[in-house]
Amino acid sequence: MTTTTARTTTIFRRPRSETGFWSWITTVDHKKIGIMYGYTAFIFFVIGGVEALLLRIHLASAESTFLTAADYNGLFTTHAVTMIFLVVMPMSAAFMNYLLPLMIGARDVAFPRLNALSYWVFLFGGIFLYSGLIFSSVVPPLGVTPGVTGNLDPSDARSFFGLPDGGWFMYQPNAGPAFSPGRALDFAVLGLQILGIASLLSSVNFIVTFFNLRAKGMRLLRVPVFIWMTLVVAFLLLFSLPIIAIALFMVIFDRQFGTLFFDATAGGDPILWQHLFWLFGHPEVYILILPAMGIVSEIIPVFSRKPLFGYAAVVFAGAGIAFLGFGVWAHHMFASGISTVAQVGFGLTTVAIAIPTGVKIFNWMATLWLGRIRLATPMLFALGFLTMFTIGGLSGVTHAVVPSDWQQHDTYYIVAHFHYVLFGGSILGIFGGLYYWFPKFSGRMLDERLGKIHFWLWMLGFNMTFAPMHWLGLQGMIRRTWRYDPSLEFWNRIVSVGAFIIALGLLVFMWNFYRSKRRGPLAGMDPWDARTLEWSIPNPTPVFNFAEVPVVHGLDEFWHQKYGEDKDGRPVRKDDADSTLTRLQEIGTNPPNPVHLPSPSYFPILMAAGLPLIAYGIIFHLSLFGKALIVVGALLSLAALIGWGSEPLEEAHMEPAHA
Amino acid sequence: MAQNRLRRLFLLATLALVVAGCSVIGIPDSPLNSLDPQGPFSRRIDALFWPVFWVATAIFVLVEGAVVIAAIVFRDRPGRPEPRQIHGNNKLEILWTVIPALILASVAVPTVRGVIELTSCGVDAYPVEIIGHQWWFEYRYPEEGIDTATVLVIPAGREVCATMTSEDVLHNYWIPQLNGKRYLVPGQETLLRLQADEPGEYRGQCAEFCGLSHSLMRAEVRAVTEEEFTAWIAAQKEPAAEPAAGTPEAAGRDVFLNRCTQCHTIDPVNVVVEEAFNGPNLTHFMDRGWIAGGYLPYSRENLARWLSNPPDTKPGSYMPDLALTQVEIDALTAYLETLR
């Protein structure tokens, strides 16, 4: 702990605490930020899961009265918004934040304070979005706008819980002012706008980090696949978020200020919204899945004791998926009445995107082949990803066949498909990553037995939940349906039971996490005999990451520090491997030279705090209070920005944090 | 280890038993079963679906089989030598890029042909108009000047070309046994081809989320023989019968005149102005067999339930609770039952 007195360089005294509450509030350490992303996203995962369970209790019978129609519509909307924007994206961000510097041999990301700003903007955006539950009933519903015919009685329309009920896709004009006058939707729209800012800031940060902070010798084709996928996702975010930002602004203006961009009776176009939404929405799908693909690309080689088969092909396939991902958006609109040419064109691009996806799957399989496979929990999840994602990918091909999609569109077949991709893919990949990298941030191992119970409960529950949905959809059960034909009741009950088995599996994980974090066996430095740089430093990761910045000589640098190859190409542990590890552990614990780290700062959280104030102000903008909130929020963010600008990144005289 | 494997086998066996058990029980097909085509367009789609489905199934079996085999055969066991460090193989990469590309190209060709064939109507198709409302479908027969709702009557064996639009939000007209679905978009016209091989009733549903009672917005296509169709057209053109004075039916007509005419038309009793808010045309109410936008089959109990408080049956219904008395409901029912 340093004892030098802080020099006041700006309006605040520089924050000093390295542990406790204020250290988290003011941190600019990518690891702490990653951990905060992880915990926050996990809390939202539980919330989104409870929403799903409520939906499944309701759907256990065809004419259920468990939920009102408004609450049902509200819950499926928030379930989707939560799982996409508040769970899978920030969970991926947690891994990216924590691992990006570690896997490229850096001490932090390029812009540490910007990174903290990303997190706080994300957190406040999520809280703002959910605060609609409380505040949406305080605001009177939108008045009837001239030129539109909607005349819903708002008291009918409002969900009891105050949930937005326009669907996460917010198709216009149903989610417009005339047909959804309830204010909960405004909280969702503005909340998504704030969340988008968080992702945009991260993407810039990650791109700059990737290109500038790689350790010496880490050429582009020596970068671990997970980090490649981080870069690809960052570019996807950078190019797709501005589109949704504009679209959301148009919705906000439609709803609040009567612009009627999407109202056909006023010369607007409801289909325009669909184009804008899916121009973002489809790249978003790859934003959700590519990080998980990166994670399994790290796990499979380690537990097969082989390098990733076709490393370059896997990297380029990932980039290819992202590139093609911008050209397939209208396959969400095959039934919207778009022209024949558009349907043919987007049908063909959609078919084409299966090719790079297949390349990835085949390369993972080839990595397994002839390997020496340890079925530890991270590997089980990675194999779960591989098998379940394949099902989701193949069902995806069946609706690339445009006429088939006319039947399957908007049915449970689609619900089954994207849950195989997003749960069977993203979530299984993310949990594989959690089991794999848990020692990195806790210094301990998760319990293997509980991990395996978790895995098998999920495989059982997941398939019970989502496999029958294929059948239900082909039998004509539409999506977002509060009631359904009684002949579909049997399989719906199976699905509902499956959902609770998933919940049980999650409880096992939570218990495992809670217990192992305190009493799990110590991990040591390299518990999995891994291949990448993050394992060449002690666990839990020291605050400065690398005492000595590594020099990289090839792909899987850390593996090659431990293993040579015999004439058959089989790995042979080097004689000095153990002493190398001991030395790395030693310098990681007691760094020979002082390490200068960016200093903590109050300004990121202050700047982020201005954004929800502005958003509340927009919702209340008819009152003086609302107008005042906009001004206060804007001034707060501006003042924080000025304070930020006048504060140096590092205090010149600060001692290394560990000293 | 052995115990673990046993547990897994047990789980798999349970799952297999459950699946087998269910197929034995023989759950009836849903009336919206998209795998039961009853017309040329749905059959065309069905013929596209199955080959792709089986190709996908074959790939599924290969991939999953390979993963399971790898996990068993290459599993780490004591004494297993370290694996050779294979970094890749360009020939294989090309192979598993080109082969899937060829398979997908063979899927793409019939897809393109299917899209082109199915997106424009035949020149001789019988024209109808479908208009979406929250939460019911309106049908117009422009050649005959007929306006009806919920049940679309078409001649079996003849192509019907529906020109569709919406009065309010997006809707989606879907009769799975006759064709795929198509949106109804406010301010735009979309096309949907419908044709049934045989006379019969084909259920449908609005498939696009359209607000509170989306799930209750249902539809039906009733295909009839050419003779029946001609007769039906003639009957639809007839005005409603005038009830004799002093009968319960006449009392019901008075209730209708007092309470319902702002939204509902019964020719020749009244005509709702085009610009005003529109409910279904009730001139031939009893012809449909369905009420509440196709959610409830017609019965006196269901009609009483509906009339006594519509939003209670269909949340958000634009037809308000008119606080009708039982006497009014009985009279209305008697009158509505004359509207054949």
Side-chain angles (χ1 to χ4, degrees):
Chain A
M1 185 68 65
T2 173
T3 50
T4 31
T5 44
R7 188 163 49 100
T8 310
T9 50
T10 174
I11 50 172
F12 294 116
R13 251 168 126 71
R14 198 90 196 208
R16 282 294 166 154
S17 32
E18 281 162 19
T19 52
F21 180 74
W22 286 105
S23 76
W24 291 91
I25 298 291
T26 60
T27 187
V28 296
D29 177 0
H30 70 98
K31 298 181 287 301
K32 281 190 161 168
I33 292 168
I35 290 167
M36 289 195 290
Y37 262 113
Y39 278 114
T40 313
F42 193 84
I43 291 167
F44 281 122
F45 187 47
V46 173
I47 294 172
V50 169
E51 287 163 353
L53 291 181
L54 290 173
L55 292 169
R56 281 322 313 179
I57 292 171
H58 177 84
L59 288 173
S61 50
E63 295 277 320
S64 174
T65 51
F66 177 70
L67 296 170
T68 66
D71 286 334
Y72 180 85
N73 295 348
L75 283 169
F76 75 62
T77 303
T78 44
H79 168 71
V81 170
T82 305
M83 289 304 192
I84 293 167
F85 296 100
L86 302 176
V87 179
V88 176
M89 282 175 82
M91 283 265 191
S92 305
F95 285 104
M96 293 171 181
N97 263 296
Y98 200 97
L99 294 167
L100 171 59
L102 297 187
M103 292 177 91
I104 61 173
R107 291 211 172 118
D108 208 317
V109 293
F111 307 119
R113 286 177 296 180
L114 191 68
N115 203 24
L117 177 66
S118 294
Y119 170 73
W120 296 114
V121 171
F122 154 71
L123 178 70
F124 293 152
I127 292 173
F128 174 83
L129 201 152
Y130 263 90
S131 74
L133 266 70
I134 302 160
F135 295 126
S136 65
S137 51
V138 178
V139 208
L142 296 169
V144 174
T145 317
V148 283
T149 51
N151 60 347
L152 265 189
D153 175 5
S155 60
D156 277 343
R158 196 181 300 138
S159 139
F160 173 74
F161 295 113
L163 298 167
D165 59 357
W168 85 282
F169 56 108
M170 295 184 286
Y171 268 17
Q172 305 292 329
N174 185 49
F179 298 98
S180 295
R183 301 306 291 271
L185 207 74
D186 294 308
F187 283 87
V189 173
L190 286 163
L192 290 181
Q193 194 71 288
I194 297 175
L195 292 170
I197 296 171
S199 301
L200 206 52
L201 296 173
S202 292
S203 72
V204 173
N205 209 345
F206 293 161
I207 291 170
V208 176
T209 307
F210 179 96
F211 283 114
N212 291 291
L213 297 189
R214 278 170 290 127
K216 194 167 176 234
M218 184 170 272
R219 297 181 202 146
L220 286 180
L221 284 183
R222 291 175 181 174
V223 175
V225 176
F226 176 68
I227 301 307
W228 264 112
M229 293 306 111
T230 300
L231 178 76
V232 169
V233 166
F235 273 114
L236 280 171
L237 287 166
L238 187 65
F239 292 131
S240 69
L241 282 168
I243 302 167
I244 194 67
I246 289 165
L248 289 172
F249 274 128
M250 290 168 95
V251 173
I252 293 166
F253 274 71
D254 265 18
R255 292 182 59 84
Q256 305 284 338
F257 310 118
T259 46
L260 308 183
F261 287 117
F262 303 118
D263 189 332
T265 58
D269 184 356
I271 299 294
L272 173 65
W273 165 260
Q274 297 183 20
H275 281 294
L276 291 172
F277 182 81
W278 291 114
L279 249 167
F280 153 78
H282 203 82
E284 171 71 16
V285 172
Y286 298 108
I287 290 166
L288 298 173
I289 190 66
L290 287 173
M293 287 180 163
I295 290 172
V296 301
S297 302
E298 299 301 328
I299 293 175
I300 290 176
V302 168
F303 292 89
S304 307
R305 296 183 70 75
K306 276 178 65 194
L308 183 66
F309 195 92
Y311 161 85
V314 173
V315 169
F316 287 122
I321 289 171
F323 185 77
L324 287 173
F326 275 101
V328 297
W329 78 88
H331 71 205
H332 298 268
M333 301 163 58
F334 284 153
S336 300
I338 56 172
S339 78
T340 309
V341 172
Q343 300 204 41
V344 167
F346 284 99
L348 292 176
T349 53
T350 304
V351 166
I353 207 163
I355 298 169
T357 314
V359 167
K360 288 204 151 201
I361 289 172
F362 294 129
N363 277 299
W364 290 322
M365 280 169 40
T367 311
L368 293 173
W369 212 254
L370 298 174
R372 195 175 142 187
I373 297 172
R374 281 176 293 161
L375 290 180
T377 312
M379 185 62 161
L380 286 176
F381 275 88
L383 295 180
F385 168 97
L386 188 50
T387 48
M388 295 302 114
F389 176 77
T390 301
I391 297 176
L394 288 169
S395 65
V397 173
T398 65
H399 34 256
V401 179
V402 183
S404 293
D405 183 71
W406 298 334
Q407 289 284 19
Q408 295 156 6
H409 178 76
D410 270 340
T411 69
Y412 263 77
Y413 191 87
I414 303 291
V415 179
H417 158 72
F418 71 73
H419 279 96
Y420 267 87
V421 175
L422 291 185
F423 192 124
S426 302
I427 293 286
L428 288 186
I430 283 167
F431 274 81
L434 270 174
Y435 280 96
Y436 179 58
W437 281 301
F438 182 81
K440 204 67 238 145
F441 91 98
S442 70
R444 294 175 187 274
M445 306 292 285
L446 280 165
D447 186 80
E448 274 290 302
R449 202 175 61 94
L450 287 174
K452 282 173 179 154
I453 292 173
H454 171 202
F455 174 75
W456 287 110
L457 277 174
W458 267 22
M459 288 306 270
L460 177 72
F462 170 77
N463 283 297
M464 252 174 95
T465 307
F466 298 111
M469 286 185 185
H470 291 108
W471 179 246
L472 286 169
L474 293 172
Q475 283 284 323
M477 181 162 165
I478 52 159
R479 289 172 82 169
R480 309 177 177 115
T481 189
W482 176 59
R483 297 236 159 115
Y484 55 85
D485 191 88
S487 62
L488 304 171
E489 208 166 53
F490 175 82
W491 284 109
N492 269 293
R493 294 221 165 129
I494 301 280
V495 167
S496 293
V497 172
F500 278 88
I501 296 177
I502 295 177
L504 186 66
L506 188 66
L507 287 176
V508 172
F509 170 79
M510 285 161 79
W511 166 243
N512 190 358
F513 188 94
Y514 173 81
R515 213 185 59 160
S516 302
K517 189 142 187 306
R518 273 158 193 74
R519 292 189 280 131
L522 288 173
M525 196 169 85
D526 182 23
W528 307 115
D529 202 1
R531 313 179 72 88
T532 38
L533 284 177
E534 79 273 23
W535 298 103
S536 70
I537 49 180
N539 290 322
T541 317
V543 63
F544 45 82
N545 299 355
F546 294 92
E548 286 173 356
V549 174
V551 177
V552 177
H553 306 91
L555 187 63
D556 295 337
E557 169 65 21
F558 182 50
W559 175 265
H560 294 298
Q561 290 179 17
K562 297 180 289 182
Y563 291 92
E565 274 176 31
D566 66 12
K567 59 182 188 314
D568 290 341
R570 297 178 194 277
V572 181
R573 198 165 171 92
K574 288 182 178 167
D575 296 333
D576 61 353
D578 289 329
S579 62
T580 306
L581 292 186
T582 317
R583 193 187 73 86
L584 286 169
Q585 175 78 37
E586 174 55 30
I587 63 163
T589 322
N590 300 303
N593 301 307
V595 183
H596 290 282
L597 288 173
S599 311
S601 172
Y602 292 111
F603 293 112
I605 189 171
L606 286 175
M607 188 168 169
L611 294 177
L613 293 183
I614 296 172
Y616 283 119
I618 292 172
I619 284 179
F620 293 94
H621 76 273
L622 289 178
S623 67
L624 188 65
F625 172 65
K627 293 181 182 90
L629 270 181
I630 297 179
V631 174
V632 170
L635 285 179
L636 177 61
S637 287
L638 194 65
L641 187 64
I642 293 168
W644 178 329
S646 64
E647 172 195 72
L649 177 62
E650 243 173 75
E651 293 297 323
H653 58 286
M654 223 166 153
E655 295 297 312
H658 57 89
Chain B
M1 277 304 152
Q3 203 192 350
N4 230 337
R5 209 164 305 155
L6 266 178
R7 205 176 306 150
R8 224 166 303 158
L9 269 178
F10 176 73
L11 277 177
L12 281 176
T14 325
L15 198 66
L17 268 178
V18 171
V19 172
C22 300
S23 49
V24 170
I25 297 166
I27 306 151
D29 277 346
S30 148
L32 294 163
N33 185 1
S34 71
L35 301 177
D36 177 31
Q38 295 293 330
F41 308 125
S42 51
R43 207 158 35 242
R44 184 81 175 73
I45 296 176
D46 201 55
L48 273 172
F49 174 73
W50 285 109
V52 179
F53 175 82
W54 288 117
V55 170
T57 306
I59 298 171
F60 164 78
V61 171
L62 284 175
V63 172
E64 312 286 318
V67 172
V68 171
I69 289 170
I72 294 168
V73 174
F74 302 116
R75 185 143 176 207
D76 189 16
R77 289 189 184 82
R80 177 181 284 283
E82 289 278 20
R84 288 181 47 212
Q85 303 290 292
I86 309 159
H87 291 270
N89 182 318
N90 284 341
K91 275 186 199 143
L92 274 176
E93 298 291 347
I94 291 166
L95 199 68
W96 58 49
T97 308
V98 170
I99 292 180
L102 291 176
I103 294 174
L104 289 164
S106 65
V107 169
V109 172
T111 299
V112 171
R113 205 178 295 151
V115 175
I116 292 169
E117 273 174 36
L118 289 168
T119 43
S120 50
C121 290
V123 278
D124 299 329
Y126 185 81
V128 298
E129 291 169 11
I130 304 180
I131 299 147
H133 302 266
Q134 278 181 324
W135 289 274
W136 57 282
F137 289 105
E138 177 183 357
Y139 307 112
R140 291 188 188 155
Y141 294 69
E143 293 186 348
E144 313 292 348
I146 294 170
D147 181 14
T148 177
T150 304
V151 178
L152 178 70
V153 178
I154 64 168
R158 186 139 54 113
E159 182 188 340
V160 170
C161 181
T163 307
M164 310 195 293
T165 189
S166 167
E167 279 283 282
D168 38 48
V169 301
L170 297 169
H171 298 285
N172 190 340
Y173 197 74
W174 187 33
I175 310 290
Q177 288 170 313
L178 302 186
N179 201 344
K181 54 182 78 66
R182 187 72 77 234
Y183 283 28
L184 286 66
V185 183
Q188 295 185 17
E189 281 184 351
T190 52
L191 287 186
L192 184 66
R193 309 174 80 177
L194 293 168
Q195 183 172 338
D197 297 331
E198 300 293 332
E201 285 160 357
Y202 306 98
R203 293 293 289 165
Q205 161 84 48
C206 173
E208 181 54 39
F209 179 63
C210 56
L212 275 181
S213 277
H214 160 55
S215 64
L216 309 183
M217 181 169 172
R218 308 205 175 155
E220 184 173 296
V221 169
R222 190 199 303 158
V224 296
T225 62
E226 287 289 345
E227 300 77 60
E228 285 170 326
F229 186 66
T230 315
W232 181 83
I233 294 280
Q236 287 288 309
K237 286 178 166 175
E238 291 294 315
E242 187 68 8
T247 55
E249 288 81 3
R253 192 200 55 179
D254 292 342
V255 176
F256 176 81
L257 273 172
N258 283 332
R259 310 302 300 274
C260 315
T261 49
Q262 218 181 345
C263 306
H264 292 289
T265 295
I266 293 180
D267 179 31
V269 180
N270 75 306
V271 173
V272 177
V273 225
E274 266 294 316
E275 291 74 35
F277 179 72
N278 254 310
N281 184 318
L282 299 178
T283 309
H284 300 279
F285 171 76
M286 286 301 284
D287 175 62
R288 293 168 199 160
W290 292 90
I291 59 171
Y295 173 48
L296 298 174
Y298 179 79
S299 70
R300 285 185 183 168
E301 297 74 48
N302 280 343
L303 184 61
R305 171 183 161 192
W306 172 246
L307 290 174
S308 64
N309 186 357
D312 193 45
T313 302
K314 267 175 91 170
S317 165
Y318 286 72
M319 178 161 158
D321 180 2
L322 295 164
L324 296 173
T325 63
Q326 192 56 47
V327 176
E328 287 174 313
I329 290 175
D330 289 343
L332 258 183
T333 307
Y335 176 57
L336 288 170
E337 286 196 341
T338 68
L339 305 172
R340 297 191 170 274

